[in-house]
Amino acid sequence: MSTLASATPDVEAAVAALRRGGLVGMPTETVYGLAADAENPAAVARVYAVKGRPADHPLIVHVAGAEALDGWAVDVPDHARRLAAEFWPGPLTLVVPRGPRAGDHVTGGQPTVALRVPDHPVALSLLGAFGGGLAAPSANRFGRVSPTDAAHVLEELGDALVDGLDVVLDGGSSQVGLESTILDCTGAAPVVLRPGAVGPADVERAAGVAVGTHRSEIRAPGTLPAHYAPNARVLLADDEQQALDLLGPAPAAGSVPAAGLLAPAELATPPGVVRLSAPDSDGAYAHGLYRALREADALGLRTVVAVVPQGGAPLATAVADRLRRAAVGSGGG
Ligand code: TXA
Ligand code: MG
């Protein structure tokens, strides 16, 4: 039986894979991760090789619960402990001063470590059964769109994973659909490094301190301007009229569609355009965003026009952030 394409998640086989230094495609509520034993430098090195990721980009260490802060971190500020208590398991990653378990191979040589408890039953049972930390970036090739389904993991990394050594766990479609919020918790006030489902107001409420607005000193390479990019050129619209203007006149009847549209459900799809996403909420937009960008590539679309969600709710901000990066990464500006 293939360890890469099995429909029922075999957590026991995944633990065995981790113990022999193999990699595990791990479902989480945000996106799928590519996990290795965070205390096995050779296994972690393979994560970088399989992803094609530069070695100085640090990884998130996934742990089973907040008690793991001791060991993986030191001098954890009180506000970070409050955030862990409130949001773990959940889509929030805390960057804290690293402890003795966090080696250079997961921190990229930085004095900090990023920690998160994923809110997914399969990930939690894997972490519980394995016992240690799992270093896991999103399970995509470097710079590409994160996978939100087990099938996407195989699409991205199937060539580089080894049947019988590595395991992909199918935990269904990731509920949130966008990567976790990352907070720099090394100073007096937490600073947002990457927006996600947990917004600044949620953080302030739970942390009991205001979120810092200064630029963090910390490098978070996932915040490179060009990231999360499909092959198609991504053009951004502030509203529905602008989206229609960017799509331009309808193509000749019978021609192969070259443009795709991501826009709120109430906007009708113009003729000759592929509707990639028609969300009725920020949550639905986030949940389906990466699947839609992947579909654009599968259909060979040249252009994707996306209406940027407004309003400033956490997931609207996060979707807007990923769309901007997709636009830069695809040459769409
Ligand atoms: O939702 C998520 O966070 C997913 C799932 C799998 O947990 N993971 C994820 O990992 O998005 P990745 O590697 O694609 O993005 C992690 C980001 C990177 O931008 C990395 O630079 C940043 O976290 N990061 C990791 N350790 C850090 C550290 N010590 N200081 C600052 N940034 C760090
Ligand atoms: Mg990533």
Side-chain angles (χ1 to χ4, degrees):
M1 203 188 68
S2 167
T3 59
L4 298 182
S6 152
T8 43
D10 187 344
V11 168
E12 214 174 296
V15 170
L18 294 167
R19 299 220 190 284
R20 64 177 176 256
L23 307 184
V24 172
M26 173 175 72
T28 86
E29 82 283 28
T30 58
V31 300
Y32 274 67
L34 180 66
D37 176 355
E39 290 167 280
N40 179 339
V44 173
R46 238 187 104 229
V47 171
Y48 284 91
V50 164
K51 269 192 68 105
R53 179 175 174 127
D56 63 342
H57 285 207
L59 303 179
I60 295 174
V61 176
H62 298 72
V63 292
E67 54 299 337
L69 280 166
D70 304 305
W72 286 99
V74 289
D75 302 330
V76 177
D78 288 343
H79 62 76
R81 291 205 187 264
R82 286 194 287 272
L83 288 166
E86 174 79 15
F87 293 109
W88 285 357
L92 179 67
T93 296
L94 303 176
V95 174
V96 284
R98 78 180 193 186
R101 294 182 81 170
D104 283 337
H105 56 281
V106 287
T107 67
Q110 303 197 64
T112 55
V113 64
L115 297 171
R116 170 166 118 82
V117 180
D119 187 13
H120 190 292
V122 173
L124 288 170
S125 87
L126 179 66
L127 283 161
F130 178 63
L134 294 177
S138 52
N140 52 281
R141 293 199 186 254
F142 182 65
R144 311 292 311 173
V145 173
S146 298
T148 53
D149 259 294
H152 301 167
V153 176
L154 292 176
E155 235 171 80
E156 286 281 326
L157 306 175
D159 291 351
L161 296 176
V162 179
D163 202 5
L165 171 66
D166 306 316
V167 170
V168 175
L169 294 173
D170 189 342
S173 149
S174 295
Q175 193 217 322
V176 176
L178 295 181
E179 303 81 356
S180 60
T181 303
I182 303 182
L183 282 186
D184 169 0
C185 291
T186 60
V191 179
V192 177
L193 297 174
R194 180 175 71 184
V198 176
D202 306 316
V203 170
E204 292 190 353
R205 184 177 39 75
V209 287
V211 169
T213 50
H214 59 281
R215 229 189 140 73
S216 168
E217 297 292 304
I218 285 190
R219 273 186 314 124
T223 57
L224 289 172
H227 221 76
Y228 313 103
N231 296 322
R233 200 162 64 109
V234 178
L235 302 175
L236 304 184
D238 288 330
D239 57 34
E240 297 171 7
Q241 186 54 52
Q242 200 187 356
L244 297 176
D245 294 345
L246 286 168
L247 285 167
S255 59
V256 180
L261 174 65
L262 291 86
E266 60 263 22
L267 181 65
T269 311
V273 169
V274 179
R275 188 56 170 269
L276 297 166
S277 169
D280 58 5
S281 65
D282 296 332
Y285 208 157
H287 176 75
L289 178 64
Y290 290 154
R291 166 178 295 282
L293 295 179
R294 238 167 239 288
E295 192 187 340
D297 283 352
L299 294 171
L301 300 182
R302 282 202 299 275
T303 309
V304 168
V305 172
V307 176
V308 178
Q310 314 287 322
L315 281 172
T317 303
V319 168
D321 169 76
R322 303 310 191 276
L323 283 174
R324 277 188 215 104
R325 292 175 203 284
V328 173
S330 72

